[in-house]
Amino acid sequence: MNIACPHCFTTNRIPEGKSHKAGKCGKCKSALHTTHPVNLTEQNFQQYIANTDLPIVVDFWAEWCGPCKMMGPVFSRLAERSEKALFAKVDTEQCQRISAQFNIRSIPTLIVFKGGKEINRLSGALPEVQLEQWINQNI
């Protein structure tokens, strides 16, 4: 399994049968599995999404968005508990090219990526239980 480091974005290979949770980056020695969402930018988005075999749930958000601010802590709590997926955030104001590439028309929008491809998306904020169910159905 390949996982891009959430710190230096180097691709790392996890041997079959080993857990990614204990893995450390071969380049920067940081943990490969984080318990908080990774902030992605236009410089590292494609590398992180394309070079990670685990599902990645990406929250497209903006600082001025009320529903985004309400859902942010919920998204972070789910990231802390998740063992089967990684979580990331994209600020749509700072990453307008990525937002346009994925046709983000309303925020918050969550997209689940697996193997570099979009699996499903959800627009709008949900309560924690419903959001967790949606994520579990899509990973």
Side-chain angles (χ1 to χ4, degrees):
M1 167 182 4
N2 290 324
I3 296 183
C5 175
H7 306 282
C8 70
F9 300 97
T10 299
T11 303
N12 291 265
R13 181 176 298 278
I14 303 296
E16 197 169 323
K18 297 274 186 180
S19 171
H20 70 282
K21 289 181 66 179
K24 298 224 183 279
C25 177
K27 182 176 180 182
C28 73
K29 309 301 183 214
S30 297
L32 293 176
H33 182 83
T34 62
T35 57
H36 60 279
V38 175
N39 289 314
L40 297 178
T41 65
E42 292 190 351
Q43 289 75 32
N44 59 31
F45 179 88
Q46 192 59 41
Q47 187 173 3
Y48 190 69
I49 298 298
N51 295 333
T52 300
D53 293 334
L54 285 173
I56 303 170
V57 183
V58 180
D59 176 16
F60 289 84
W61 69 286
E63 183 66 38
W64 53 264
C65 171
C68 296
K69 287 183 178 182
M70 289 182 352
M71 197 174 79
V74 171
F75 191 73
S76 292
R77 281 194 299 273
L78 294 175
E80 287 176 16
R81 297 194 306 249
S82 177
E83 295 186 11
K84 297 179 181 176
L86 301 174
F87 287 68
K89 295 179 79 68
V90 172
D91 183 338
T92 58
E93 292 294 306
Q94 301 298 318
C95 303
Q96 293 181 8
R97 194 174 44 127
I98 295 170
S99 300
Q101 177 185 348
F102 289 99
N103 204 24
I104 304 299
R105 301 221 181 242
S106 65
I107 52 175
T109 292
L110 298 181
I111 299 181
V112 177
F113 292 91
K114 180 149 182 166
K117 299 191 183 333
E118 181 178 334
I119 302 299
N120 202 353
R121 72 171 53 204
L122 170 75
S123 293
L126 287 178
E128 188 167 345
V129 171
Q130 289 177 308
L131 183 57
E132 186 172 28
Q133 288 173 344
W134 181 83
I135 290 170
N136 287 334
Q137 288 172 353
N138 288 285
I139 60 171

